[in-house]
Amino acid sequence: MKVRALERASAGGDGRERSWPGGGDPRGPRAEVLPGPGGGGDVGGGGGGGGDADPGAGGPPPAARPPELLSALRAAGELGLRRSEFARAVQLGLVRPGSRAPGGAARFARAELDRVRACEGYPRTLRERIETVAGADAGARALGTGPSRFTRLARCGHLTPVGYRINRYRAVVWLYLAAELREFATREPWLLSGAAPPGDREMLDAKADLRPRRWRGRHVGLLLRRTADPWERAAVLASVLPEQQVRQAVPDPAERIVLAALAPPPPYGHPQVPAAAAVAGRLLLAEPPDEVHWYRTSLDFALTGARGRRNSTGERGQSNSTGERGPT
C-alpha cells in the first residue's frame, strides 16, 4: 500500500505543556526561514520595446536565489571542526541543519555557518561547548576527583552522558561534556568528597546504573527539540520502545510504517561491527518498567496530536521531513 505524504505541521502535539526526560522543550523550535535576496515592486504598464525587464523601472522582480547548502563534511571544514566535533555540535543544536539532499544526507545553509562564526568568542566558545571526555579516568580529572567517585556519581544519575562508544572488549565507554563536569564541580562540591548521600548508597546497594537511562533521556530530548512535525516526534518516542510496546500503541500497520520511515538513525559513532552494534543497540531501548511506561505514555500523547493533524487535513503518511536529524 502506498502511503501518502503528511503535511508538515507547524507545531508538535496538541499544545499542552509536558515534562520530558533529558530536558529541553518537547515542542521544539519552529523551522527558521532563510530569506532570499531580491525585492518586489509593482509591475508597471505602458508601452515600449521588447527588451529585458528592468526591475528598477517597474519590471518583474528577479527570482529569489535559494540559500546555498553545504554537505556536512564541507560545513565541518568551514567551521574548523573534525567530523565528530561537528556531529556533536549538530546533536546539541549549536549548528542547525537545513533541508536534506535528495539522497537523504544532511545539508547546512551558509547563512547558518555565518551565524555560528558570528557568535561571541568563536571558535573558542564553540569548542568548549562540544569538548567531551571519555571514561572514568578522564572524567575524574575534569571533575577534580577520583575515578571510583566519578563512576559512583555517574551511576547514581548525578552526571548525564552525552554519547558512548564500544571499546574492543565490548564494554560501553561513556562520553561526557567537559563543560558540564566543570559546572557540576563548581555547583555541588560537597559531592566530590566525603561519604555518599543515603540515596546514593541505596542505589549502589541495589546495583543500579542510571547512565543508560539518563543518556536516553537526553538523546530523546535533543531529538524532540529539532522537529515540530507531530509524526516525526512520535517516531522519536517510538524508537526507544520495545517492538511489542509499539505494536500495542500503534495497532494500524500503515502508521507503524510511517513511524519506521521517520525513525531517527543511531547517533553518530554508533558501531557498525555486529558484535559491538549488538551491545550498543541495547542502549537505544528503554528497559526499566517505569521508563518504558513513561515513553509509552508520551507516545500515546504524541500520537493523539499526530492523528488529530491527520484528521484535520484528511491525509496520512510520511511527513515532509526537513532532515533536522543531523549528519549521519
Side-chain angles (χ1 to χ4, degrees), residues 6 12 22-25 33 53 70 84 100 107 110 112 117 127-128 149 200 220 259 299 312:
L6 274 176
D25 185 348
V33 179
L70 309 177
S84 59
R100 298 183 84 87
R107 299 184 299 181
R110 183 170 295 280
E112 172 65 8
R117 281 191 288 253
R127 290 187 177 279
E128 288 176 351
R149 183 175 293 270
D200 287 8
V220 169
L259 295 181
L299 175 60
S312 67

Side-chain angles (χ1 to χ4, degrees), residues 274-290:
V279 175
R282 293 194 289 269
L283 304 176
L284 302 179
L285 296 179
E287 185 175 359
D290 60 327

Side-chain angles (χ1 to χ4, degrees), residues 73-296:
L73 183 62
R74 183 174 173 187
E78 295 212 2
L79 292 179
L81 300 176
R82 297 193 301 270
R83 186 73 172 85
S84 59
E85 293 174 327
F86 183 75
R88 188 72 64 207
V90 174
Q91 174 198 9
L92 298 175
L94 303 177
V95 180
R96 300 187 294 260
S99 60
R100 298 183 84 87
R107 299 184 299 181
F108 299 83
R110 183 170 295 280
E112 172 65 8
L113 304 186
D114 293 340
R115 182 194 66 81
V116 174
R117 281 191 288 253
C119 291
E120 184 179 357
Y122 172 85
R124 176 183 53 82
T125 54
L126 177 61
R127 290 187 177 279
E128 288 176 351
R129 295 177 71 180
I130 62 177
E131 179 189 2
T132 59
V133 296
D137 290 339
R141 287 193 295 271
L143 203 59
T145 188
S148 60
R149 183 175 293 270
F150 178 90
T151 300
R152 189 256 292 171
L153 291 172
R155 290 175 63 96
C156 293
H158 296 287
L159 308 172
T160 302
V162 72
Y164 59 82
R165 69 184 186 208
I166 309 300
N167 66 16
R168 59 180 176 175
Y169 304 108
R170 302 180 192 172
V172 179
V173 179
W174 293 104
L175 309 179
Y176 301 85
L177 290 174
E180 287 187 353
L181 297 182
R182 291 189 291 265
E183 179 185 354
F184 178 84
T186 302
R187 187 178 69 248
E188 303 188 59
W190 54 86
L191 289 176
L192 304 183
S193 60
D200 287 8
R201 290 199 296 270
E202 291 178 5
M203 283 190 284
L204 292 173
D205 291 341
K207 301 187 184 306
D209 186 355
L210 297 183
R211 289 174 293 184
R213 180 172 183 164
R214 296 279 288 178
W215 173 80
R216 281 189 295 270
R218 168 175 241 162
H219 179 60
V220 169
L222 289 170
L223 290 173
L224 290 175
R225 286 174 55 186
R226 286 157 56 182
T227 180
D229 183 285
W231 286 99
E232 287 185 350
R233 295 170 67 78
V236 169
L237 296 163
S239 69
V240 295
L241 283 171
E243 182 179 358
Q244 182 60 32
Q245 291 289 330
V246 176
R247 288 182 173 274
Q248 292 175 3
V250 193
D252 186 345
E255 289 184 345
R256 292 202 301 272
I257 291 174
V258 173
L259 295 181
L262 295 175
Y268 181 82
H270 190 81
Q272 302 299 315
V273 177
V279 175
R282 293 194 289 269
L283 304 176
L284 302 179
L285 296 179
E287 185 175 359
D290 60 327
E291 185 189 11
V292 171
H293 175 74
W294 174 268
Y295 286 118
R296 170 65 188 273

